[in-house]
Amino acid sequence: MKTIDDLEVAGRRVFVRADLNVPLESGKITDDGRIRAAVPTIRKLAEAGAKVIVASHLGRPKGAPDPAFSLAPVAARLGELLGGPVAFASDTVGESARATVAGLADGQVALLENLRFNPGETSKDDAERGAFAEQLAGLADAYVGDGFGAVHRKHASVYDLPARLPHAAGGLIATEVGVLKQLSEDVRRPYAVVLGGAKVSDKLGVIDHLLERADRILIGGGMVFTFLKAQGHEVGASLLQEDQLPVVREYLRRAAERGVEFVLPVDVVVAKEFPDLATKAPAHPTVVPADAIPAGGLGLDIGPRTTELYAAKLADAATVFWNGPMGVFEHPDFAAGTRGVTQALLDSPAFTVVGGGDSAAAVRILGFDETAFGHISTGGGASLEYLEGKTLPGLAALED
């Protein structure tokens, strides 16, 4: 696929589809990682003399304006990071967008309002999506796709718009694809994968794919209890997807057959109820063996012996991919597992890839140095689907 260097951008209106989908609390950004990741491409275009039109989604509004999902705070933060003002359009293709774009001088930057305020962005109807893409195309002379976190979506600004304009991949997408190729084509071994998060069903495709490629797979998070149940253990009140038990048993059988080391917790941290994440009030947890979770126990983190075990399994790895926290890391009583695994990644000599989403958030929230990792992806879902071998619409649209 072409890169920015293949486009003529000086004096032209360049539409940049970024991923600025950051968490907000009471209108304040709590993690600006995705905004910072978008800055290099935007700055490069502006310095080359482009009129830069940035667009993104935020959250899941219902196809209509909703102040709770406005990108206005993002425009302010983007301006701070760029060191200059960012004009903000209060709509996507309406009067404000047209006027804002018309007012740009070479080297200036504007941000459109949340793309998902228009129903055409996410419509499953090709005509409706195409009509919105036509309106967006009318604002620009060229397109740069740089929102890796959205490339697995067949949305107007991701899939339909590139076909209507000269297009290229931004620096972020080029980097993300390059890293993921290292995890799927010429992997240095031993190749260890750490998977966490809440539900097994969210990871079925990537587990299936990695059983053919990884040397060892370490499981944590809420999804671990379905694996423990599949082994015949009781899991108390912990999260359990009973409908996935047959699939999980098959994965365990295949792993044993292929010689893939499937590592599950030997102890877990349990509480009587889910903790209060707002007040961080003490949850009074206890640590129990993974095969002795009490009837009312709610498993919320891997235990200390498991953390040590996982660190040992990562110590000699040459490549590590991590997607999904080990527990409810947002609460201090259940952050130790995720903290310990993160530290183990830093201590390992491996090329380490953090697969976006909650994993990337955990790195920042727990205070780790982002630059110490081989790569931190901006797209959890996109990175998983890429590793599953799926065709991602947003990447396909950037191919010539």
Side-chain angles (χ1 to χ4, degrees):
M1 63 181 67
K2 291 181 179 177
T3 68
I4 292 173
D5 295 332
D6 299 311
L7 288 179
E8 292 290 335
V9 301
R12 305 181 78 196
R13 301 170 300 165
V14 180
F15 188 104
V16 178
R17 194 354 175 143
D19 178 13
L20 308 177
N21 184 27
V22 295
L24 295 173
E25 287 184 10
S26 302
K28 296 185 182 299
I29 298 167
T30 58
D31 181 357
D32 68 354
R34 283 178 169 162
I35 306 175
R36 288 185 284 111
V39 165
T41 291
I42 296 169
R43 178 176 283 127
K44 182 173 182 177
L45 289 166
E47 290 177 349
K51 301 175 176 72
V52 187
I53 306 154
V54 184
S56 176
H57 70 286
L58 192 153
R60 295 183 178 179
K62 307 297 185 184
D66 183 339
F69 297 105
S70 175
L71 281 167
V74 175
R77 180 59 180 146
L78 181 59
E80 292 172 355
L81 292 169
L82 288 170
V86 169
F88 181 64
S90 59
D91 56 28
T92 54
V93 291
E95 183 178 339
S96 178
R98 292 191 297 270
T100 301
V101 171
L104 289 176
D106 295 353
Q108 292 186 332
V109 179
L111 176 64
L112 304 181
E113 183 55 284
N114 193 334
L115 290 165
R116 291 186 183 176
F117 285 0
N118 190 303
E121 170 67 0
T122 59
S123 176
K124 303 216 182 300
D125 181 81
D126 290 349
E128 184 178 15
R129 227 178 37 248
F132 183 48
E134 286 287 350
Q135 291 179 291
L136 292 171
L139 297 172
D141 305 305
Y143 175 93
V144 170
D146 210 36
F148 181 74
V151 293
H152 58 315
R153 306 296 188 193
K154 193 175 182 180
H155 291 170
S157 65
V158 175
Y159 178 76
D160 302 271
L161 182 54
R164 290 162 166 81
L165 293 169
H167 54 265
L172 178 60
I173 277 187
T175 298
E176 295 270 15
V177 171
V179 167
L180 290 171
K181 282 183 176 179
Q182 292 184 59
L183 297 180
S184 53
E185 294 179 5
D186 187 22
V187 184
R188 290 182 293 153
R189 298 185 179 279
Y191 177 21
V193 176
V194 184
L195 294 176
K199 295 182 178 179
V200 176
S201 55
D202 293 340
K203 303 289 195 300
L204 289 178
V206 76
I207 294 173
D208 184 72
H209 188 77
L210 289 169
L211 280 172
E212 306 296 322
R213 290 161 178 79
D215 297 302
R216 62 188 68 132
I217 300 174
L218 287 58
I219 301 293
M223 62 188 288
V224 79
F225 301 104
T226 303
F227 282 90
L228 292 174
K229 183 70 173 180
Q231 290 186 322
H233 304 308
E234 292 303 317
V235 297
S238 306
L239 182 65
L240 174 65
Q241 289 187 282
E242 295 216 36
D243 61 323
Q244 301 300 328
L245 287 172
V247 180
V248 167
R249 291 190 183 104
E250 174 62 14
Y251 284 164
L252 292 171
R253 185 198 66 76
R254 281 175 56 196
E257 184 180 82
R258 295 188 58 81
V260 176
E261 191 177 4
F262 222 102
V263 190
L264 294 174
V266 294
D267 60 349
V268 296
V269 182
V270 302
K272 293 182 179 179
E273 58 186 18
F274 197 84
D276 188 328
L277 299 183
T279 66
K280 305 291 194 296
H284 308 294
T286 58
V287 178
V288 300
D291 59 358
I293 299 173
L298 178 62
L300 296 169
D301 194 15
I302 60 173
R305 287 197 298 128
T306 302
T307 303
E308 291 180 6
L309 171 65
Y310 285 12
K313 296 294 183 182
L314 297 173
D316 67 341
T319 304
V320 180
F321 174 69
W322 170 38
N323 181 280
M326 298 295 97
V328 185
F329 70 92
E330 300 92 341
H331 192 285
D333 287 346
F334 308 102
T338 302
R339 186 184 300 279
V341 167
T342 307
Q343 186 61 54
L345 293 180
L346 293 179
D347 294 341
S348 168
F351 174 61
T352 55
V353 178
V354 180
D358 286 341
S359 309
V363 168
R364 290 187 280 268
I365 290 171
L366 297 177
F368 289 94
D369 178 7
E370 296 176 63
T371 64
F373 297 86
H375 179 70
I376 297 182
S377 178
T378 56
S383 62
L384 287 178
E385 290 197 17
Y386 187 100
L387 292 178
E388 288 175 36
K390 290 184 177 180
T391 297
L392 306 188
L395 296 184
L398 295 174
E399 300 286 353
D400 291 322

